[in-house]
Amino acid sequence: MKDANLLGRRNFIKGMGAAAGVAIAAPAMAISEKADGVKWDKEVEVLIIGSGFAGLAAAIEASRKGAKDVHIFEKMSYFGGNSAINGGLFAAPGTPMQKQEGVKDSVDRMVADQMKSGRGVADEALLRHVAEHAVEALQMTMDAGSEFHPYLQQLGGHSVARTYQTTVSCGAGITQPLLNECRKLGVHTHNRAKFEGFLVGDKGEIVGVKMRENYHFGEDQPGKISHIRAKRGVIMATGGFAQNINLRMAQDPTLTAEVGCTNAPGATGEGMYEMFRLGAIPVHLAHIQSGPWASPDEGGFGYVSNYTIYNFPHSLAIHRLTGKRFMNEIADRKTRADAELSCRDEKGEALPPILITSYKDSKKHPNTKKVIKYNVGWKFDTIEELAKHFEVPLKPLKAQIEEYNSYVKSGDDKQFGKNMTKAKDKFIEAPFTVVRLWPKVHYCQGGVQITTKAEVKDSFTGQPISGLYAAGEVCGGIHGVSRLGSCSIPECMVMGMTAARSVMQA
Amino acid sequence: MIKLKAVLALTLGCLLTLSVQAVEVRDHHKEVIGKDCKTCHDNGIKQFPSDQSCLQCHDVDDLAEQTARNEEDKWQNPHNNLHYGKELPCQECHGEHQPKQPMCNNCHTFKFDKHKQ
């Protein structure tokens, strides 16, 4: 068995974390200053920090609304942030594909699903704003050239199928076209440019930023500080902090360096913390989500994540010690991640559970071939072979599969109440494909509080901080305790567009 | 005096070793590495070379062609990949003074047999 791999991988990540910690400590600390007497090196019209979905959508929308001089600054050497490496899943209510497939959906229904997953503390007004504009944002990606699989998916926690996915099964299928679109529109893009703090006017308004240019992430080199004035405003689209082990442990001590992470290395949170120092309201920082579809056999998001997201509705997840199911395979993310973490051997050591799918059904997803080819998943001709490989007791496993197949037939899961709509006629039969499951830190629900106009609110006045806007994962409170899958891309895009509209009206 | 010279020689020797020996020098770099640092260090000796520095001699399209993979795996081409196209700066995966891993390894188990650090 490949249990040694799990440990090896985790130690590797631990090493990375330690190295990154040292490197991050090296450069001068970001800090905001009064703009009095500052000598401006440059003046721009709209200043956007971060080049993921939110930053790119903001730049495009600002240009379409008439901005002539839009600049995106990106800390890393490459553009796209965490958006360039995720699953490329986009939920929207009332889409053309839903009409085609006969799925009844609405803004209300999508908001209700999200409120449920948010466990009572999600921000309904923001969720509604995003859901109302999600189709418009989806259209923006298509206009830029994004292509989507010709089918809808029903992700965990969603009551209907409403999720599009790019044909490359990755957010890069959106960031690459949006980046091209930005360049067509004349947006200026700057890489290796690290935000180092705000420059604040007499009335507490944001008038510009300090930017370290020629910045090399994780390396010790001085670069050069420049002071950039933003005529209309600054849009912070800097993402989450899942890669910053100190910060995430400050919120949730269980998220140590031993827990893997799906995020791009740049997701370190300093933009968000600088807004707090300025007076922004922190919301829900301790709600940090782990992806229950990740695999311990590869790093980051890898290939398995999309494979499992597609296959969960017609697969069963098995505890290897008992040979039985232990969760609803399409419950929301937190429910499943918690259930997986409870899968341990007699000594309490991690025993990653397995996901069993019929090859006839799994092979419809383009990643299945790759998962097998790159040795992060396996194919078996018989149940005996499968049971032997993962040391699962054969008899209970056989009985469990038989029982599950009766639920496929009846459409009623008596064990965990799983919605069996997408499992219809998909009996679990040989040959099988199998992957191992283990959660990875994936998304930070917490961040700065914003209005439905993407304005950043001040802690003491409750009023927007003039000249400052934020969009995407850096914002907090929208999703509450647990974000539903495929609801981040619409949020990033809609709030990026919203921020641009606000900045152009201000 | 002789002692001083020896120390100086030793120091210079070390500097040279530092720049040359840290990784195996590629044949086509032998002409420049350790001779004229400014050839690559266009931002000044104490700063990393710019992202354009390598492109003085290397052509991205040629590199992409050299590392092309078959249709099924076409997006695993490090010089023209799914996530960043042809825009991934060379220094993400290659270093002349320190060994580096292919960036894809952060998330994938691909093999790059010909990867030179």
Side-chain angles (χ1 to χ4, degrees), chain B residues 3-93:
Chain B
K3 206 174 169 186
L4 191 68
K5 264 186 187 168
V7 170
L8 203 67
L10 205 65
T11 318
L12 283 173
C14 284
L15 278 177
L16 198 65
T17 334
L18 189 74
S19 49
V20 178
Q21 150 274 355
V23 294
E24 188 189 339
V25 180
R26 299 160 176 83
D27 283 343
H28 56 268
H29 281 175
K30 280 187 177 144
E31 276 304 303
V32 283
I33 290 208
K35 287 182 183 162
D36 182 5
C37 306
K38 285 181 190 160
T39 309
C40 304
H41 287 268
D42 53 350
N43 282 329
I45 303 301
K46 287 185 179 166
Q47 306 250 357
F48 286 96
S50 74
D51 288 334
Q52 287 72 42
S53 185
C54 310
L55 305 178
Q56 295 176 94
C57 303
H58 298 277
D59 182 80
V60 182
D61 294 319
D62 289 347
L63 294 170
E65 208 171 297
Q66 280 171 37
T67 52
R69 300 198 160 197
N70 64 27
E71 180 56 27
E72 190 184 299
D73 296 333
K74 70 168 180 175
W75 284 121
Q76 293 167 14
N77 182 349
H79 299 112
N80 185 15
N81 63 80
L82 171 67
H83 304 289
Y84 310 105
K86 293 180 180 175
E87 286 196 36
L88 204 53
C90 312
Q91 293 169 77
E92 284 303 319
C93 307

